Amino acid sequence: MNIHQLPFKKTGYFSALICDYLDKKEKLDNFYGNFPDLDGFKQQLTLRKKSNLNVDSRKVLVSSLNKQYSNFKVTANTQTNIQSLLAENTFTITTGHQLNIFTGPLYFLYKIVSVINLTKQLKREFPENNFVPVYWMATEDHDFEEINYFNFKGQKVQWNRESSGAVGRLDLQGFDEISKQFGFELGNSENANYLKTLFEKAYVNHTNLTNATRYIVNELFGDNGLVIIDGDAIALKQQFAPIVKDELLNNTSFKEVSKTNKLLQEKYKIQVNPREINLFYLAEGLRERIIFEDSLFKINNTAIVFSEEEILEELNKHPEKFSPNVIMRPLYQETILPNLAYIGGGGEIAYWFQLKQYFKAVNTTFPILLLRNSVLMASSKQLKKLDKLDVSLQEIFAKQQDLINKKVKELSSFPIDFSQQKTFLNEQFKGLKQLAQETDASFIGAVNAQEKKQLNGLDKLEKRLLKAQKRKFNNELERITLIQNELFPNNSLEERSRNFSTYYLELGEELIPMLLKALNPLELKFTVIEY
């Protein structure tokens, strides 16, 4: 295995906001707290200790986790980490993700590896403290269409059924047939048989999507001490109830996030917009927005209505029925965990930037934000082909048409670039325009039109010449296109579409140790793993 790296901004796949954050641009200073480096973590530890989770809250957290793991095989490392959460010198590093079928896209693994590796690094740097890697399952999400499939060999393995309410509560009807179909596609190698067994034990032998997901993630990462948490728990929701009450009565998140958005959107795209109440009402088969209208709290698309007194009583008796949306879920996480940092993808980190002032308004410590590791898996054979084609690693990230045009110009024995001629033409027309101004101003329009016509003519000639050279070097260009399509399915990062099973078939039980060895979350660079 060889490791190659390049800056995130050189890949062309990350937003201006993320690139500016990694470059520590001053214009973003007010939207985040400590930066994700060792000095930042030293400061964050000091900050978090001042607002540490109290003993009773830690007991609730550990009790809830033990209950959630009660029907699962818990590794010694995970059990040790859970129990360590009772100590005031134990802190968490957290990532979160939807309950995608069979983990969904590859980057799910990279998130968790980032969390595990960071806790190890922090333990080496700050040995007097304990650091626990946490995966937060998005069990209360209701976007079924986003999680009901994964890609394998260019095809969707899909779970088709009716869905309503929180996806984590869904029973697993229909997975018998999916398991058979997926098993057929996998084949009969040793690695294929492991994947078949993993899939079947998860989705055929468990009662709901939450438990199936916990089983898979625990099987893959339990030996590394990963702690998996489900926020859809009464005891944990009770810890969050005061924030929910504030949201119902004061709309604090809407007010604070709206202020931040006005400032942030001057330079960047806003990821999410707050509602006046950023909560859902959660029941069996139901997750609908809470709306305040005509002095009443109404549950969207239902006949359920509460007065202020009634909804506060409902919160007091059934806190589990109040589910935070994307704006409030981060705050819920930071309320019940002794958390130092959140690790997420570019889109996630972007919406966390909208939340700092909201956290301040409700007196909650804002965590460090760390962009997860991103990875391109490339075989030695593929990289040797690129080398023979004289295509660098950075070049292979380019948009395909841009890459092809660049390589045609490099392969040609003469320049396919009429920039010099265009510059000469512009200079000639400057003189004509000056002459027109000195004689007849109405002549300027004709001069401008002629200049545009001739420049367009040069553009057309350049394109025709480029097209002719593409035909000449068709063989080389086809080889470049083929390998780029292998590395970037659908002209995008493979981590956003391919499932881990693609590489597990080839690498087997070496895959996850390889990732753990290769990825350093604080290097803040895109990683190419040559295997």
Side-chain angles (χ1 to χ4, degrees), residues 168-186:
R169 300 181 181 186
L170 291 174
D171 64 55
L172 300 173
Q173 65 181 49
F175 266 101
D176 282 345
E177 187 59 34
I178 298 171
S179 182
K180 291 176 185 176
Q181 292 174 355
F182 182 44
F184 178 78
E185 293 293 333
L186 282 169

Side-chain angles (χ1 to χ4, degrees), residues 70 135 177 222 267 320:
S70 61
Y135 160 48
E177 187 59 34
K267 297 181 177 68
E320 73 278 7

Side-chain angles (χ1 to χ4, degrees), residues 206-237:
H206 286 90
T207 56
N208 60 39
L209 191 56
T210 293
N211 290 336
T213 304
R214 183 185 295 274
Y215 176 81
I216 288 176
V217 179
N218 190 49
E219 284 293 306
L220 294 176
F221 294 103
D223 287 340
N224 295 282
L226 182 70
V227 173
I228 304 164
I229 188 168
D230 176 10
D232 188 6
I234 296 175
L236 299 177
K237 288 286 182 73

Side-chain angles (χ1 to χ4, degrees), residues 7 31 57 61 111 114 132 154 166 284 286 312 364 371 385 391 453 478 490 492 496:
F31 301 101
S57 294
L61 175 60
K111 278 184 167 184
S114 297
V132 175
E284 200 60 41
L286 176 72
L312 294 180
T364 302
L371 183 65
K385 287 180 180 179
V391 177
K453 180 179 179 181
E478 281 190 349
N490 302 315
S492 186
R496 298 177 184 177

Side-chain angles (χ1 to χ4, degrees), residues 325-503:
N325 74 354
V326 66
I327 292 287
M328 291 190 67
R329 192 213 65 80
L331 185 63
Y332 179 31
Q333 167 192 300
E334 299 300 315
T335 299
I336 66 174
L337 294 176
N339 201 47
L340 293 179
Y342 183 78
I343 297 180
E348 289 176 281
I349 298 301
Y351 75 70
W352 275 82
F353 274 89
Q354 300 172 232
L355 305 177
K356 185 186 175 187
Q357 292 308 311
Y358 174 41
F359 272 61
K360 183 178 180 180
V362 293
N363 198 31
T364 302
T365 303
F366 195 72
I368 288 176
L369 304 178
L370 176 58
L371 183 65
R372 65 168 172 81
N373 285 118
S374 277
V375 179
L376 173 64
M377 298 285 288
S379 68
S380 295
K381 185 178 179 181
Q382 288 171 320
L383 293 188
K384 285 177 182 175
K385 287 180 180 179
L386 285 181
D387 190 52
K388 287 181 179 178
L389 292 166
D390 198 26
V391 177
S392 70
L393 268 180
Q394 184 170 320
E395 286 176 326
I396 201 64
F397 280 82
K399 301 302 179 187
Q400 193 162 91
Q401 198 56 53
D402 293 340
L403 176 61
I404 293 301
N405 289 345
K406 184 175 188 292
K407 287 302 162 183
V408 169
K409 291 176 181 179
E410 289 177 4
L411 289 166
S412 296
S413 57
F414 52 85
I416 310 176
D417 185 355
F418 289 177
S419 298
Q420 186 176 349
Q421 288 81 357
K422 291 174 185 176
T423 300
F424 178 77
L425 191 64
N426 284 328
E427 290 299 321
Q428 296 302 307
F429 272 93
K430 278 184 183 178
L432 286 173
K433 290 175 186 177
Q434 182 64 35
L435 179 62
Q437 286 179 339
E438 293 174 359
T439 54
D440 185 354
S442 64
F443 188 48
I444 293 177
V447 172
N448 287 335
Q450 188 63 30
E451 179 184 28
K452 184 177 180 181
K453 180 179 179 181
Q454 293 200 30
L455 286 172
N456 287 342
L458 284 175
D459 282 337
K460 289 178 182 178
L461 287 174
E462 188 175 319
K463 288 176 182 177
R464 286 187 65 179
L465 184 56
L466 185 64
K467 189 175 181 180
Q469 291 298 91
K470 283 181 181 179
R471 288 195 296 269
K472 180 178 178 180
F473 299 112
N474 181 63
N475 182 52
E476 291 90 338
L477 298 178
E478 281 190 349
R479 288 158 60 198
I480 292 172
T481 301
L482 179 63
I483 194 167
Q484 190 183 48
N485 288 342
E486 289 175 0
L487 295 170
F488 295 84
N490 302 315
N491 296 312
S492 186
L493 294 176
E494 66 161 4
E495 65 177 30
R496 298 177 184 177
S497 60
R498 285 188 176 132
N499 181 258
F500 85 98
S501 56
T502 299
Y503 288 106

Side-chain angles (χ1 to χ4, degrees), residues 241 244 248 281-283 290 299 304-322:
V244 173
L248 292 169
Y281 187 77
L282 190 64
I290 300 174
I299 309 306
I304 303 172
V305 177
F306 297 98
S307 66
E308 180 179 306
E309 182 180 357
E310 288 169 339
I311 202 164
L312 294 180
E313 181 66 15
E314 182 79 348
L315 174 61
N316 184 52
K317 289 182 176 179
H318 301 288
E320 73 278 7
K321 291 187 176 182
F322 293 80

